[in-house]
Amino acid sequence: MSSSFQSELTGSFSTPCDDNPTVAMVEAAYRHHGLSWRYVNAEVPPAGLAAAVAGARAMGWMGFNLSMPHKVAVIEHLDGLGESARLINAVNCVVNRDGRLIGENTDGKGFLSSLVPVCDPRGKHVMLLGAGGAARAIAVELVLAGVARLSIVNRSADRAEEFARIVRAAKPIEVSVAGWSGDVVVPGDVDVLVNCTSIGLGDATARVPVATASLRPGLVVADVIPNPPRTQLLAAAEAAGCTTLDGLGMLVGQGILGIKYWSGVEADARVMRAALEEAFA
Ligand code: NDP
């Protein structure tokens, strides 16, 4: 459980800070762009969330990021939601807009910013593996960006059906849902395959059950896993001639958007990616 707060402080605070990779990434951007801002990481237990948000509000902080389990619970403490956060019903980035704390969801937008340079999602068929928070954020953003069709594959059927309902509420596009048994075969008309499961986190040998023979040149294969960035799925996809996108691109993309929301500065992706790679090395 952690929340990262970002502020222009007029007082001084002393707190133990965990310099995690995201902190390294955002602070590298601040230094590069000459912003004398800080991005600090604070552990906030669920019982302390209301007080933490009230504190950020009282101190006039420009915003903060949230991770689980605060992404839904924070909503009742905010003054409004951006469109994606409302559709997904989850907030990972709060922005102080003229004293009003507005909840945004930048995970899916971060993914989109890494996808668009290699593939325009408009009219495409995207297959998503997984139905958790990352999958929902990505799906809603893809739908808003104009994908024609989504195929969802998830281990637990209930969660996949609930996920499909959220997507259809965002836009009435074609959404199909399938359970996961054995190796998933990627149909020939799928343009983009995204691993949104947590398989591969911290383990470059962990295998996402996908039929390697169904990976082919022309298919874009993306993985949300940022660490290690070269997952077993991406290695197999590369060997099959697919275009690949790693999870660092998504993480950098959501970071750029947060900095833009808070400061108006368009941060340099290369600087942020280099800081992340160093922190994860
Ligand atoms: P959730 O816990 O909400 O969802 C996890 C998903 O993975 C579920 O669909 C779950 O299926 C599936 N899953 C887990 N283990 C298995 C398995 N062994 N076989 C099949 N399916 C499995 O997590 P999030 O969606 O929040 O996060 C998922 C990953 O995305 C994390 O590893 C996180 O690090 C990464 N992430 C990356 C970001 C980035 O910027 N790069 C941003 C946000 C997240 P089921 O529903 O059946 O349990």
Side-chain angles (χ1 to χ4, degrees), residues 130-134 154-156 159 196-199 224-225 247 250-251:
N154 195 52
R155 186 177 55 178
S156 106
R159 213 169 177 202
C196 305
T197 73
S198 41
I199 302 172
V224 298
I225 300 298
M250 176 177 173
L251 196 52

Side-chain angles (χ1 to χ4, degrees), residues 175-256:
V175 182
S176 57
V177 175
W180 201 330
S181 62
D183 284 0
V184 175
V185 174
V186 184
D189 65 346
V190 167
D191 302 292
V192 182
L193 172 74
V194 191
N195 174 40
C196 305
T197 73
S198 41
I199 302 172
L201 189 64
D203 181 0
T205 65
R207 182 173 178 272
V208 180
V210 170
T212 312
S214 63
L215 302 177
R216 52 179 164 75
L219 178 69
V220 176
V221 178
D223 205 320
V224 298
I225 300 298
N227 185 33
R230 190 178 159 81
T231 59
Q232 191 276 339
L233 176 66
L234 292 188
E238 243 173 59
C242 306
T243 302
T244 58
L245 288 175
D246 67 29
L248 291 182
M250 176 177 173
L251 196 52
V252 168
Q254 64 79 34
I256 288 176

